[in-house]
Amino acid sequence: MRMALRVNGQTHQIDCADDTPLLYILRNHLKLKGTKLGCGLEQCGACAVLVGGKVQLSCAALAADFLGQEIVTIEGVEALPLGQKVQAAFLDQTAAQCGYCTSGLVVAVTGLLSQDPQADQAKIKDGLKGHLCRCGSHPRVLRAVQQVVAQS
Amino acid sequence: MTRLATHKVGAWLWVSDGQITIISGKVDIGQRISTALMLIVQEELTLNTALMSVAPVQTDRAPDEGITSGSKSIEDTGAVVRQAAATLRQAARALLPQNGALWALQNGQFCSPDGTQKIDILDLITKLDPQLPIDAAAAFLPRDYGAASPFMRDLDQMVRGRFCYLPDIDVPNMQHARLVRPPHSHARLGAIELQILAKMVEEKVQVVRDGSFLAVVSPDEWAVETAAKRVARACTWVSDKTLEIKDIFESLTENNAKKIRVIDGIPDPKAPLVALKDLPYRARFEKPYLAHGSLAPSAAFAHWSQMGLKLCSHSQGIYPLRASIAQSLGLALEQVQITHVPSSGCYGHNGADDAAMDAALIAKHCPNVPILLKWTRQDEQQWEPFGSAMVVELGMALDPDQKISDFHAQVYSDTHRGRPRPDGAQGGPARLLANRLRADPLAPYVPLLNMNPQGGMHRNIDPIYQIGQKIIVKNLVQDLPLRTSAVRCLGGGANMFAIESLMDEVARDQGVDPLAFRRAQLHDLRSLAVLDALKTELSTRPTPSGQMPGRGMAFGQYKNKMTRTAISVDIDLREDGQILLKDVIIVADAGRIIDRDGLAAQLEGGFLQGASWALYEEVSWSAQGLLSQDWDSYPVIRFDNIPEMKLVLLEPSDAPSVGAGEATPGPAIAAIANALFDATGLRLRRLPFRPDRVLKAALGD
Ligand code: FES
Ligand code: FES
């Protein structure tokens, strides 16, 4: 099918199979490789993007379900003032080891804090429990979130 | 350090265009070795890290440093790079006009004593011969404690989603590949429905088959993903055998095993296998098979052309991998080139090497087409080489002064050494999964006893404490159901869990504070300092609170010679049997600190991996295949159970740097077990401490 997708503020015309998940469009058609494939099963959070400002896993949801909606990937996060703050906080707290989970987490934290700028630790932990980090960067990610909350 | 004598400065550090390149054979696997090497060069040359880069690790360029494993990179490579940098600084200083010794070096510039002249150290180094031998006597700069600020190579790229991992490789005309794996390791491909093969031709999906090795290839990644599932459904698999489902811990102690005594951490074939007497304190500990469970499933890039076979792999050992692949495919070594490209953290020998072989085989069937192969999550969880299940049986006796007089240990495990290594007996091709599936399949490699000091299952089975008499036997068990290899800590995780649980048990039975009990068995001043620092930190804390709170501690020194670690964990036990992690203190002495933040990250990350093993992780299977196939069936620690963590880093002056990446998981498990005992009086000796097991133990069955 042919469809138009709004990604990072631009409209893209895309030709793809009906059942193509959003992630594959982002990575392969649009060459936005920052959104990661971790499981394809909506279990790990590596593929998180923002749709209409809310966190959305992209590995299994069909691209066709997001026509006309504003999709923001990790590459577009730095255009958001909050996104920049989150990225800066991840840098300050060196909130990554291998970094494979990082783009999903930066996106998720940006999404969570845009909904609830004063979210407390418990809320954040709950909000991030769909995101795996196998290197154990969690304490640093939580510190990064605290840093952003403290600034707002 | 044997390499030092034979190596030239230029083999490690290369200067051109005002930039210094660090060349190392060690690869980044999420442990930040490149960052640490840059910080070492920064310390010795006072250069800004912006002027440095770390060369990609490639088989035809980088020094062959074997395998990046065992937390050895800082000790080995770090030491050589530091010596090479110190040699360059010394030689550069010799080129200074006069009174060179009096010129100060700061921010990469030499400054004359009167302050009128400045010369860039890199300009001087450019004039030096790269063949300059590394001078083992070149002195290091005195430590500048204020110097290092947190810095992590490429982090800015990672937070912006711009860092290229192996699965992100995308080159013109590239095609994607997926595998169709058998249901279990004994199954062989019988037939594929002809209809689906015709369909695939129609849809321009190429099906690659070599015996029971099956893959699909297409330019469209989603098409190949769905094609793999459709082809899988159209396959019939045959097997004369299924997976053994007898209780693994029974198999471990009952199957045939190669036995050997371990003396001072080293297997000794001459030591007699004496009968063990019954000691007053006895306990048996069990650890299931563990998955590496890397966040990115394994992947590889392969391109087969007249120029030979070019591969990109996230393997920890690209040299042995190259030799094993060349041998598997009948190629000369020079025809295979492997570049290391990072993927997500691996924590040991995951599917990386197998994926590289898979991709090579696919590329051979699709010459001149660049191939990017990705395993799926299910491939990864089912086919990666696991960390072996283990049984550790311990016995202990005290003398009248409450000192340990006798210690017995029997450790039972499969091998922790399944990496492809090409030389004859070590089995290169036989350890690559694809070679067991191809038309002319190789039999699984039968492992040999690991005779290295602190190797494999006997890592950390010899307690670090002062003990009168020790009898330690390791049992390399045969005919176990799953393929195994190296997972972070090898046997050390289970062994430290066992020893530190028993230490706790004995201390409490004797009515002695567990920390004081350990202290009384140690002479090593640095170990005592670590325990004392934990005690001091604990003295500032209130007793743990909650529904059913508990506090536990553990101590360990990785490989009995690397980082010393003491850990305290506060938990709270919920009514449903879930263990919540509350407050954690980690005290560590890793010698001279190079990358303080990186060290902290390794210690924290190691703790959380150990905690994940303690609470959640367990590979499971039926006769027909693996049951743990994804993150639901193989749960791991998540954000909802992350404790508050406090790190105390001790740094005795002049102590050499040692690796720390594997220091905390073992003590973490034991500290959690000991906290559970503190909370409930229950001693759980089988991992993981799942809620159902905790409740069962509480009910007394
Ligand atoms: S890749 Fe989407 S949740 Fe794992
Ligand atoms: S930093 Fe490696 S998975 Fe999170």
Side-chain angles (χ1 to χ4, degrees):
Chain A
M1 71 185 277
R2 199 169 166 75
M3 63 174 129
L5 277 187
R6 293 273 301 159
V7 180
N8 299 335
Q10 285 183 337
T11 306
H12 300 269
Q13 301 296 331
I14 287 146
D15 260 323
C16 66
D18 296 3
D19 61 346
T20 314
L22 179 58
L23 178 68
Y24 293 79
I25 304 291
L26 298 173
R27 289 180 54 88
N28 296 331
H29 292 72
L30 305 181
K31 306 287 178 200
L32 295 168
K33 304 277 183 184
T35 311
K36 302 300 180 201
L37 173 59
C39 65
L41 304 164
E42 302 190 323
Q43 295 175 349
C44 77
C47 63
V49 297
L50 298 176
V51 177
K54 289 212 178 105
V55 185
Q56 169 71 49
L57 300 176
S58 66
C59 62
L62 302 191
D65 290 345
F66 302 105
L67 302 183
Q69 303 192 54
E70 286 295 334
I71 300 162
V72 176
T73 69
I74 182 69
E75 291 88 350
V77 160
E78 60 205 58
L80 311 171
L82 179 60
Q84 277 174 16
K85 275 194 200 165
V86 173
Q87 286 172 326
F90 269 65
L91 281 174
D92 289 348
Q93 303 296 340
T94 42
Q97 286 187 45
C98 76
Y100 198 79
C101 62
T102 308
S103 36
L105 281 165
V106 167
V107 166
V109 169
T110 306
L112 289 172
L113 292 184
S114 72
Q115 308 284 313
D116 184 356
Q118 290 298 319
D120 61 15
Q121 279 287 96
K123 254 202 181 148
I124 292 295
K125 284 184 172 181
D126 192 59
L128 293 180
K129 69 172 192 254
H131 290 257
L132 294 182
C133 172
R134 289 292 282 158
C135 298
S137 301
H138 313 72
R140 289 148 180 271
V141 172
L142 294 171
R143 286 202 286 275
V145 179
Q146 263 171 345
Q147 178 180 329
V148 181
V149 170
Q151 286 165 355
S152 75
Chain B
M1 292 295 285
T2 46
R3 299 162 43 117
L4 201 60
T6 54
H7 274 76
K8 318 282 182 201
V9 167
W12 301 91
L13 298 172
W14 189 265
V15 179
S16 70
D17 300 330
Q19 280 270 338
I20 187 157
T21 305
I22 303 168
I23 305 151
S24 111
K26 297 289 184 183
V27 299
D28 267 308
I29 49 175
Q31 89 289 37
R32 297 166 60 165
I33 182 64
S34 297
T35 297
L37 295 178
M38 288 168 86
L39 292 172
I40 286 172
V41 174
Q42 178 180 47
E43 283 182 351
E44 292 304 326
L45 300 181
T46 73
L47 274 181
N48 192 311
T49 48
L51 298 173
M52 294 173 208
S53 59
V54 179
V57 183
Q58 212 169 63
T59 45
D60 44 0
R61 283 172 50 189
D64 177 1
E65 295 201 76
I67 291 166
T68 304
S69 69
S71 303
K72 296 192 303 274
S73 302
I74 280 292
E75 269 178 72
D76 300 355
T77 311
V80 185
V81 167
R82 187 182 292 282
Q83 206 65 53
T87 304
L88 284 178
R89 192 188 64 250
Q90 176 180 286
R93 190 179 281 284
L95 296 179
L96 289 171
Q98 71 273 341
N99 297 334
L102 300 178
W103 289 48
L105 176 63
Q106 231 185 1
N107 300 329
Q109 285 189 321
F110 284 109
C111 183
S112 61
D114 60 4
T116 55
Q117 262 181 295
K118 287 204 164 126
I119 303 179
D120 272 353
I121 190 167
L122 283 186
D123 290 343
L124 295 172
I125 292 177
T126 315
K127 296 186 190 136
L128 297 170
D129 181 0
Q131 296 297 317
L132 183 72
I134 294 175
D135 180 356
F140 302 149
L141 276 190
R143 190 72 198 280
D144 178 0
Y145 285 88
S149 60
F151 155 77
M152 178 182 155
R153 178 180 179 241
D154 298 324
L155 181 59
D156 54 335
Q157 299 295 305
M158 290 168 182
V159 302
R160 297 165 63 225
R162 305 275 205 271
F163 185 79
C164 181
Y165 295 88
L166 201 150
D168 302 330
I169 291 177
D170 200 339
V171 300
N173 303 320
M174 188 177 86
Q175 302 214 9
H176 292 270
R178 292 290 188 275
L179 302 169
V180 180
R181 289 285 199 217
H184 57 79
S185 54
H186 304 298
R188 293 287 165 262
L189 184 55
I192 315 176
E193 284 168 26
L194 292 175
Q195 242 174 341
I196 192 86
L197 293 177
K199 265 285 195 215
M200 291 295 130
V201 174
E202 203 176 290
E203 295 172 22
K204 300 204 170 49
V205 175
Q206 191 174 341
V207 178
V208 172
R209 179 177 177 182
D210 182 346
S212 297
F213 177 88
L214 194 57
V216 284
V217 181
S218 153
D220 182 327
E221 187 175 16
W222 180 243
V224 88
E225 184 103 37
T226 49
K229 292 194 184 110
R230 285 157 65 208
V231 171
R233 282 195 293 272
C235 291
T236 337
W237 300 91
V238 291
S239 56
D240 46 15
K241 214 172 138 187
T242 53
L243 291 182
E244 174 60 61
I245 51 168
K246 181 174 143 187
D247 180 73
I248 183 65
F249 302 111
E250 274 175 35
S251 299
L252 277 164
T253 45
E254 288 168 9
N255 285 11
N256 282 336
K258 296 175 188 156
K259 290 175 190 292
I260 192 166
R261 284 274 297 280
V262 179
I263 313 277
D264 292 331
I266 305 171
D268 183 353
K270 290 193 292 288
L273 286 164
V274 289
L276 299 183
K277 45 182 192 219
D278 278 351
L279 298 180
Y281 293 105
R282 283 188 304 275
R284 169 187 163 115
F285 299 85
E286 298 166 339
K287 185 209 92 168
Y289 287 104
L290 294 174
H292 302 80
S294 296
L295 192 58
S298 293
F301 172 88
H303 192 182
W304 184 290
S305 70
Q306 281 149 327
M307 314 276 294
L309 173 64
K310 277 197 163 46
L311 293 166
C312 296
S313 168
H314 51 102
S315 163
Q316 287 174 282
I318 55 174
Y319 279 93
L321 176 63
R322 173 175 70 159
S324 303
I325 289 180
Q327 203 181 321
S328 303
L329 297 176
L331 296 173
L333 211 51
E334 308 75 55
Q335 288 174 287
V336 183
Q337 182 209 68
I338 307 184
T339 304
H340 179 266
V341 177
S343 188
S344 67
C346 65
Y347 331 106
H349 174 213
N350 68 356
D353 299 82
D354 294 319
M357 177 64 201
D358 294 338
L361 206 49
I362 296 167
K364 187 182 177 190
H365 286 84
C366 309
N368 300 314
V369 180
I371 299 286
L372 180 64
L373 166 73
K374 288 181 194 163
W375 284 17
T376 62
R377 171 55 42 203
Q378 291 93 336
D379 291 339
E380 188 78 19
Q381 298 295 129
Q382 295 179 82
W383 293 99
E384 62 151 286
F386 301 115
S388 182
M390 287 173 68
V391 170
V392 185
E393 292 173 344
L394 300 183
M396 204 183 272
L398 301 185
D399 67 16
D401 297 329
Q402 291 180 323
K403 294 267 164 53
I404 305 171
S405 56
D406 293 273
F407 174 83
H408 291 174
Q410 285 263 14
V411 50
Y412 304 85
S413 170
D414 203 334
T415 187
H416 296 258
R417 195 166 56 170
R419 296 179 198 275
R421 288 172 210 249
D423 36 327
Q426 299 268 12
R431 295 196 193 182
L432 291 166
L433 187 55
N435 287 328
R436 301 187 191 175
L437 301 171
R438 293 168 68 188
D440 212 352
L442 295 180
Y445 176 77
V446 180
L448 304 175
L449 279 168
N450 184 338
M451 303 300 281
N452 294 333
Q454 296 289 335
M457 79 175 85
H458 61 277
R459 181 164 297 174
N460 280 104
I461 188 59
D462 192 341
I464 191 69
Y465 303 106
Q466 298 289 320
I467 291 174
Q469 230 213 335
K470 293 185 269 197
I471 303 176
I472 296 168
V473 180
K474 75 165 186 169
N475 300 263
L476 179 61
V477 184
Q478 298 169 357
D479 305 317
L480 294 169
L482 304 179
R483 185 172 70 124
T484 60
S485 190
V487 171
R488 196 176 197 171
C489 306
L490 309 187
N495 292 334
M496 283 172 142
F497 158 50
I499 291 171
E500 288 299 295
S501 292
L502 187 62
M503 289 295 285
D504 195 76
E505 206 167 329
V506 174
R508 288 176 193 260
D509 184 67
Q510 295 284 318
V512 185
D513 168 59
L515 193 149
F517 179 65
R518 286 174 173 84
R519 220 187 168 286
Q521 323 292 332
L522 285 165
H523 290 332
D524 171 52
L525 294 178
R526 288 170 67 185
S527 299
L528 293 172
V530 166
L531 282 172
D532 291 344
L534 179 65
K535 193 172 172 193
T536 308
E537 183 61 34
L538 279 170
S539 68
T540 66
R541 307 273 177 127
T543 49
S545 58
Q547 281 188 1
M548 208 183 280
R551 175 173 289 170
M553 63 108 20
F555 174 78
Q557 182 178 15
Y558 192 58
K559 296 190 193 176
N560 287 7
K561 61 176 185 201
M562 296 173 94
T563 300
R564 297 159 173 86
T565 316
I567 293 182
S568 165
V569 179
D570 288 0
I571 62 152
D572 192 15
L573 183 66
R574 286 197 341 197
E575 264 160 26
D576 63 359
Q578 274 205 60
I579 296 171
L580 298 183
L581 303 173
K582 309 294 276 188
D583 280 287
V584 172
I585 305 165
I586 299 174
V587 183
D589 169 357
R592 175 172 182 171
I593 297 171
I594 295 157
D595 174 5
R596 179 170 292 270
D597 187 66
L599 172 62
Q602 283 296 303
L603 295 169
E604 286 169 9
F607 175 90
L608 290 173
Q609 189 147 37
S612 190
W613 297 339
L615 300 181
Y616 304 103
E617 299 187 34
E618 175 164 34
V619 172
S620 57
W621 67 97
S622 73
Q624 301 305 326
L626 271 288
L627 296 173
S628 43
Q629 297 200 356
D630 56 23
W631 298 123
D632 280 346
S633 44
Y634 188 86
V636 299
I637 200 164
R638 288 179 179 263
F639 271 96
D640 55 359
N641 201 6
I642 301 300
E644 286 296 321
M645 293 174 98
K646 160 95 192 223
L647 256 69
V648 181
L649 302 179
L650 304 186
E651 191 177 13
S653 51
D654 295 336
S657 308
V658 291
E662 298 169 292
T664 44
I669 309 173
I672 293 170
N674 297 340
L676 183 67
F677 180 84
D678 187 52
T680 61
L682 299 173
R683 206 32 93 183
L684 264 64
R685 300 193 184 89
R686 172 169 173 190
L687 299 174
F689 313 139
R690 287 193 323 234
D692 57 312
R693 299 219 179 110
V694 175
L695 293 180
K696 234 175 124 186
L699 294 171
D701 39 65

